[in-house]
Amino acid sequence: MSAAKKLRLAVAQLGPVQRADTRAQVVRRLVDLLHEAHGRGARWVTFPELALTTFFPRWSLEDPAEVRSFFETEMPGPATRPLFDAARAKGIGFYLGYAELDGETQYNTSILVGPDGRIIGKYRKIHIPGDASSREGAALQHLEKKYFAVGDLGFPVWDTPDAAIGMCICNDRRWPETFRVMGLQGVDVVMVGYNTPSGYVQWNEPIHLRMHHHLLSLQSAAYQNACWIAAAAKAGVEEGSPMIGGSCIVAPAGEIMVRAFSEDDEVINYMCDLSVSGHYRANIFNFAAHRRPEHYRPIVERTGAGAPLGAAPP
Ligand code: CDT
């Protein structure tokens, strides 16, 4: 057995954020959650996707000024600086999801901030779900393709003194490629924030499958890539739209070690033994010994069955 390498991770689930809630109010909640995570001895805390605002892609907004009001042009800015100050004061790092305006381009973004309060890395969501324009007759819309460009930063992994850490955002977790690309970089911990509306169904899929697919995706990804996953929901009923909770920390064995109970602001934490990954990487998932990339070419050459080679999705 290799020596244990212990790291306490926390996940800070957020309850709903309503449209009228100010950035200052939300950041105060985030700071409270960060303090609780620190009080429990955590070194890193994962916050949700688009944590600073309500999940605005449920609406088709036409006024550019209104759309821009959901985006950050600087990070940290005056409203978010208290979170960075709290992290530095307590010596705890964090993952934060937010809507980013870079020039004229809008991204669904997350950042990794170190325990010194400095930004270590940035990720921009690659698997953008939903539609670019409203679906006629649909009770609920999911318009991320209207608001966000496809991320242009790949899936990097950052070597921190504590662990090799990667990031992804919500729908990315459903795609095995997301985690395999990070697994191939030896990632120890993947942090992921999400907003998963429980009411948005594209066919008459039973509602309970929303939670099942969320957990199934995380558990298989952790196991197949021998990594820990810290997943943070924005949960509960936002502007009349219910979203799943189920924030959790998943071990490289694919087991859920701790899971949120509520659909509100809630911190969960777990003392992770990062050395567990090594056992899987030396045996069943010894990539160098067992992977056969010469047989995987369609994965990078096709978007789907029947799609022409090299075709980009619409
Ligand atoms: N935010 C986000 O990516 N939500 C998606 C909903 C998919 S249904 C269009 C998710 O994967 O949970």
Side-chain angles (χ1 to χ4, degrees):
M1 285 278 276
S2 54
K5 187 179 177 213
K6 298 290 183 70
L7 180 67
R8 189 174 291 281
L9 299 179
V11 166
Q13 178 173 282
L14 270 180
V17 174
Q18 309 301 348
R19 192 174 195 157
D21 296 344
T22 65
R23 294 285 200 289
Q25 287 171 323
V26 176
V27 169
R28 210 168 303 135
R29 285 165 63 185
L30 297 176
V31 169
D32 285 349
L33 290 163
L34 182 142
H35 283 157
E36 182 164 348
H38 173 260
R40 296 190 196 182
R43 177 80 171 158
W44 296 88
V45 56
T46 303
F47 292 115
E49 173 194 35
L50 299 176
L52 301 173
T53 66
T54 198
F55 188 71
F56 61 91
R58 69 172 66 90
W59 297 310
S60 184
L61 305 171
E62 302 308 333
D63 174 5
E66 189 179 17
V67 172
R68 291 285 154 99
S69 73
F70 291 100
F71 284 77
E72 311 302 315
T73 52
E74 54 178 338
M75 191 56 69
T80 44
R81 196 172 300 280
L83 184 61
F84 288 69
D85 292 345
R88 190 174 50 251
K90 298 295 184 188
I92 178 170
F94 66 87
Y95 163 115
L96 178 72
Y98 64 99
E100 178 197 9
L101 181 63
D102 179 24
E104 286 304 304
T105 311
Q106 299 172 174
Y107 295 103
N108 188 337
T109 294
S110 61
I111 45 169
L112 186 65
V113 176
D116 61 358
R118 284 211 287 249
I119 295 177
I120 294 172
K122 178 185 281 189
Y123 168 72
R124 290 170 170 159
K125 187 174 183 177
I126 286 175
H127 299 98
I128 308 288
D131 304 307
S133 55
S134 297
R135 279 177 186 236
E136 229 171 282
L140 270 176
Q141 306 291 338
H142 194 108
L143 294 162
E144 283 196 63
K145 278 185 157 63
K146 175 181 172 79
Y147 297 114
F148 301 121
V150 173
D152 58 354
L153 302 175
F155 293 104
V157 169
W158 290 271
D159 273 318
T160 77
D162 292 329
I165 301 177
M167 297 188 277
C168 67
I169 301 178
C170 197
N171 182 54
D172 286 322
R173 74 198 188 288
R174 302 182 194 274
W175 300 86
E177 295 87 347
T178 298
F179 292 91
R180 182 48 50 93
V181 170
M182 290 189 267
L184 287 167
Q185 298 170 75
V187 73
D188 294 312
V189 177
V190 177
M191 299 179 181
V192 49
Y194 58 98
N195 287 258
T196 297
S198 45
Y200 182 79
V201 284
Q202 298 172 59
W203 58 287
N204 61 347
E205 182 185 39
I207 294 286
H208 75 273
L209 292 177
R210 305 293 280 173
M211 182 62 77
H212 174 65
H213 293 153
H214 157 65
L215 298 176
L216 180 70
S217 300
L218 296 180
Q219 291 183 257
S220 56
Y223 172 59
Q224 290 167 350
N225 295 284
C227 62
W228 290 85
I229 299 180
K234 180 133 65 57
V237 182
E238 254 190 21
E239 298 291 340
S241 168
M243 300 191 295
I244 68 165
S247 299
C248 57
I249 296 175
V250 185
E255 288 184 299
I256 298 167
M257 307 315 290
V258 59
R259 177 174 163 178
F261 170 77
S262 75
E263 292 181 347
D264 216 325
D265 292 10
E266 178 177 347
V267 174
I268 56 172
N269 67 102
Y270 190 76
M271 183 67 90
C272 305
D273 180 356
L274 302 187
S275 75
V276 169
S277 299
H279 300 304
Y280 289 96
R281 289 185 180 152
N283 293 287
I284 187 77
F285 292 124
N286 181 335
F287 285 177
H290 306 307
R291 288 187 78 249
R292 292 288 170 252
E294 67 274 23
H295 292 291
Y296 304 157
R297 283 190 58 186
I299 287 177
V300 291
E301 291 182 343
R302 290 176 187 258
T303 54
L309 289 181

